[in-house]
Amino acid sequence: MEDPRKVANRESAQKSRDAQRQRLGEDKYKQQRADDERERRTKKKKQAEMAAAAEELEHEQQQQNKLAEPAQAQPQAQAQAQQQLEAARASAAAEEQRLQALRQQREEEQAKLDAIRAAAAAATAPPPPPQQPAPPPPPAAPTAESPPSWQPLPADLIPLSDQLGVSSAPNLGGGDVRKLATVLDTSGDIARVDGALRRLKV
């Protein structure tokens, strides 16, 4: 069942329109109704346009905010990157100092080790042998005298050889040797002495 109030309101509105129509006349009433409808549509259109403009303005504001966020974040990112770079440089410098200290310590340890090795080698090395006196230089070899040139037997020695009756030293007897010794002792002729010696040798 319909609500009595709505029915009463509708009837009242209808009576009001009928009364207005009667007062203004049918044509004027229709004209006013058309004007009211046009005004209502215009107002609704303006409201829709204003809502669209407000929505577009809000969208533009959001876009500007999105664009402004990276611009605001960029200095922060640059500052953070700069801080990270400075921290990395400080860490690298500290690492370099640590490496230098390790190198110096290693060099010192190596020097100590070399000194210990040298001392151990000196302790275990045999003592050097005593210096021997230099041997005296060998005596000078006597100057060899050039042998006398052998001359042919003198003619007067041939009879001596014939008297001895020998031709070589192995066959000489004691008397033969005495004869030759006499020749050596008494003869002043080098040729005769030479011949006598040759008889004793050959």
Side-chain angles (χ1 to χ4, degrees):
M1 185 175 180
E2 191 174 0
D3 189 358
R5 288 180 299 178
K6 291 183 178 180
V7 174
N9 291 333
R10 187 169 55 251
E11 291 177 353
S12 176
Q14 184 65 35
K15 287 179 181 180
S16 177
R17 286 194 294 273
D18 291 342
Q20 187 178 10
R21 187 182 302 112
Q22 289 176 2
R23 287 194 306 270
L24 298 176
E26 187 68 21
D27 293 337
K28 192 173 181 179
Y29 172 76
K30 290 181 179 181
Q31 181 65 35
Q32 188 173 358
R33 291 284 297 177
D35 292 341
D36 292 342
E37 183 66 21
R38 185 167 51 254
E39 184 179 356
R40 185 183 66 80
R41 290 179 180 178
T42 301
K43 184 178 180 181
K44 186 176 181 181
K45 183 177 179 181
K46 288 182 179 180
Q47 290 177 351
E49 291 177 353
M50 290 176 64
E55 184 178 358
E56 184 177 358
L57 180 61
E58 183 178 1
H59 179 71
E60 290 179 358
Q61 186 67 31
Q62 291 177 355
Q63 293 295 330
Q64 290 179 0
N65 293 337
K66 289 181 180 181
L67 293 176
E69 287 177 359
Q72 294 175 356
Q74 185 174 4
Q76 297 178 356
Q78 290 179 352
Q80 186 176 2
Q82 185 66 25
Q83 292 177 356
Q84 292 177 354
L85 180 59
E86 292 177 357
R89 288 176 178 173
S91 177
E95 186 67 19
E96 182 64 23
Q97 291 179 356
R98 188 178 70 84
L99 290 177
Q100 289 180 357
L102 289 176
R103 292 193 191 101
Q104 185 176 0
Q105 182 179 1
R106 184 181 64 182
E107 291 176 357
E108 293 176 355
E109 294 294 334
Q110 185 65 34
K112 292 179 181 179
L113 182 60
D114 293 342
I116 293 173
R117 288 178 178 173
T124 56
Q131 295 183 354
Q132 298 292 337
T143 305
E145 296 181 358
S146 58
S149 59
W150 300 105
Q151 300 292 332
L153 292 175
D156 56 353
L157 192 58
I158 295 176
L160 175 61
S161 178
D162 292 343
Q163 292 174 3
L164 295 175
V166 295
S167 61
S168 61
N171 296 325
L172 293 177
D176 300 329
V177 173
R178 283 193 295 270
K179 290 179 181 179
L180 290 176
T182 301
V183 173
L184 295 175
D185 292 337
T186 60
S187 177
D189 188 356
I190 189 62
R192 288 180 62 83
V193 173
D194 181 57
L197 293 174
R198 290 173 65 185
R199 278 298 173 195
L200 292 174
K201 292 175 63 178
V202 180

